[in-house]
Amino acid sequence: MTGYVVAPDERSGRADDVAPRGTHWARFADRVVTWAPEPARLGRGARTADRLLLITQVGRSFQDAHPDLTPVLEHGRHLVVADTDPSLLAVTPDAEPGADEHAHWRVEPLPADAVVVGLPAAPPARVDPAIAGLLGELSSPLYAADVAWLAGLPTRHSLSTHFATAAGWAAARMTALGFAATRVPITVGAGTSENVIGDRAGVGSGPRDLVLITAHLDSVNLAGGPAASAPGADDNASGSAGVLELARVLAAHAWRADVRLILFGGEEQGLHGSQQYVAALPGADRARLRAVLNMDMIATRNSPAPTVLLEGATVSAGLIADLATAAATYTGLRVETSLSPFASDHVPFITAGLPAVLTIEGADSANGHIHSANDTLAFIDHAFALDILRMNLAALAGWLGSTSGAPRPAGSAVSWGPGRLDVFVVGTDSTLQHTWWEGAGWQPSPGGFETLGGTIARP
């Protein structure tokens, strides 16, 4: 038999000094599980089990299916279970009725001597006034309006006409922001849905990095079926609206890297949109992919301390570190981390060896409203969501490479506004010349000037 102890621990790094010699440990933020073959070796408080299992779940899906099972430890989407029933490893996950099998939980042996959920001690960096100003452009009312519009549809089930309505609305929003929008068909089971993609070229010379900002647009009501009410306010109008709000702010500035927005369909039926997108991604884009920032459920605060989970893999470690530093510098968020990706649209990218990270509300298993008619605006915390967007935008500014608003040629900048720089110079023939930066390039033509008329007397 295996003996185990669950104990609090405030350290965020290695925990091998926490477990007695000859035992194993697994860290979940500020708590550590220790276990050994013989219960007596752990001392007072040890309990016994045949083996310990790690459950990773979406919402409370596993617990809802096993209401009589008491976890050894519960930490957000992660559970530790003392397994006395071998059938748990072979359990059939819940799935949307009639859809392709889509696991809403994963069962595996609890990894030994591992940090399952980290609690990084990222110190704040020096505040960059330019980034602070950029974050100040985020708008809670505009974000809230987008969440409300999406959640106001009866459903955004991937195969519904309402999803097509949402996709058309999102594509129009991208176009209005200056992105080249396309709607790409995807297959979902025997039906067809779509991904909505918006592209905006950077201004860097030579090969440019590519940064993706993603979320899933669809919603689902698992118990009610495809036609049932599924407002999906948190899951995932919150993330989709977040993509559009970040795009609105980014569109007012010039960036060296290319920006690509993607709102995926088919996520709730098995990550169809993101899997098919990654499978079709050209090699040239894979080679220049700097980062994938995925947002899924970012607007329900489930714990006293506002907490965000950054989930990725080893390939995502740099992105996670950047986000943790951004959170410490520009927000009051408590950050937790996981290198065990599961059940959202960052997973296909990571499986392909591409750097992707999920930002999701912490303690999401406390959110019992998702995948039902109850995922409504009543449970949305816009201030919390804006903090996550601040963190994301601060990191994006580093990945995209700011040009400090626009390149500045010789001449007098006499007008400066959001996303625009006007430059006036006197030509060799003493005429007044004008050029301006707006959107993604110099106007009226790259590097060109317009003659305003008249001449300027030279001293």
Side-chain angles (χ1 to χ4, degrees):
M1 299 288 284
T2 299
Y4 63 88
V5 169
V6 180
D9 190 273
E10 296 299 329
R11 286 162 289 190
S12 60
R14 291 176 58 83
D16 48 355
D17 56 343
V18 176
R21 185 180 298 275
T23 64
H24 297 294
W25 57 269
R27 177 181 294 282
F28 295 81
D30 54 4
R31 288 190 290 175
V32 173
V33 182
T34 56
W35 70 96
E38 296 298 331
R41 299 183 65 180
L42 286 172
R44 180 179 296 181
R47 290 178 288 177
T48 62
D50 290 326
R51 56 184 169 177
L52 297 175
L53 299 177
L54 174 65
I55 314 294
T56 309
Q57 62 180 341
V58 175
R60 295 183 57 85
S61 54
F62 181 86
Q63 289 164 291
D64 289 344
H66 300 84
D68 298 329
L69 193 151
T70 301
V72 170
L73 179 146
E74 178 179 352
H75 190 92
R77 57 173 29 202
H78 299 97
L79 306 172
V80 177
V81 173
D83 178 28
T84 56
D85 182 0
S87 67
L88 282 179
L89 281 174
V91 70
T92 300
D94 75 339
E96 181 185 348
D100 293 348
E101 191 72 6
H102 174 34
H104 285 273
W105 66 79
R106 178 177 63 201
V107 184
E108 57 191 321
L110 180 63
D113 308 328
V115 176
V116 179
V117 179
L119 193 62
R126 179 178 298 177
V127 171
D128 183 330
I131 292 180
L134 187 72
L135 305 190
E137 297 178 29
L138 290 166
S139 169
S140 183
L142 292 177
Y143 172 76
D146 284 349
V147 174
W149 192 93
L150 288 167
L153 294 171
T155 180
R156 298 187 310 281
H157 187 281
S158 299
L159 302 180
S160 69
T161 59
H162 301 296
F163 178 89
T165 298
W169 173 83
R173 289 292 306 278
M174 292 179 186
T175 299
L177 291 171
F179 290 78
T182 55
R183 297 168 65 176
V184 180
I186 61 169
T187 58
V188 177
T192 301
S193 188
E194 59 188 299
N195 292 335
V196 184
I197 301 175
D199 279 289
R200 183 174 187 264
V203 298
S205 58
R208 294 191 299 266
D209 286 343
L210 173 64
V211 174
L212 272 54
I213 308 172
T214 72
H216 72 88
L217 186 60
D218 57 321
S219 64
V220 73
N221 183 329
L222 286 175
S229 173
D234 192 35
D235 188 15
N236 187 36
S238 69
S240 296
V243 169
L244 295 174
E245 179 59 12
L246 291 175
R248 183 188 66 82
V249 175
L250 292 173
H253 301 269
W255 306 98
R256 293 188 176 87
D258 293 350
V259 184
R260 181 170 297 164
L261 318 174
I262 310 178
L263 297 178
F264 293 113
E267 192 268 357
E268 298 290 6
Q269 291 76 37
L271 311 183
H272 291 288
S274 52
Q275 287 178 346
Q276 292 170 43
Y277 175 83
V278 172
L281 189 63
D285 279 356
R286 290 172 185 256
R288 67 191 187 98
L289 187 60
R290 171 69 176 83
V292 179
L293 175 70
N294 184 46
M295 291 178 284
D296 196 347
M297 297 172 56
I298 63 167
T300 297
R301 180 169 167 176
N302 305 306
S303 55
T307 303
V308 62
L309 175 66
L310 308 178
E311 183 180 278
T314 302
V315 70
S316 322
L319 307 184
I320 291 173
D322 291 342
L323 286 162
T325 298
T329 306
Y330 298 102
T331 79
L333 293 169
R334 168 188 164 103
V335 174
E336 297 183 352
T337 62
S338 168
L339 297 182
S340 182
F342 180 66
S344 191
D345 288 312
H346 60 312
V347 175
F349 292 95
I350 290 172
T351 300
L354 300 171
V357 61
L358 167 70
T359 59
I360 185 172
E361 64 202 32
D364 60 307
S365 65
N367 182 347
H369 308 292
I370 64 169
H371 297 166
S372 76
N374 296 323
D375 186 2
T376 66
L377 297 175
F379 304 103
I380 297 298
D381 184 331
H382 295 107
F384 172 59
L386 259 287
D387 243 7
I388 293 179
L389 291 179
R390 289 186 189 97
M391 172 192 68
N392 289 347
L393 183 55
L396 282 166
W399 301 338
L400 290 168
S402 173
T403 63
S404 299
R408 299 173 184 262
S412 300
V414 298
S415 176
W416 174 253
R420 179 172 173 128
L421 172 67
D422 290 85
V423 176
F424 296 84
V425 299
V426 178
T428 56
D429 57 356
S430 298
T431 58
L432 181 62
Q433 304 287 321
H434 173 228
T435 187
W436 69 96
W437 174 274
E438 188 171 33
W442 288 104
Q443 307 295 333
S445 63
F449 286 79
E450 65 173 350
T451 302
L452 295 181
T455 60
I456 302 297
R458 295 182 181 275

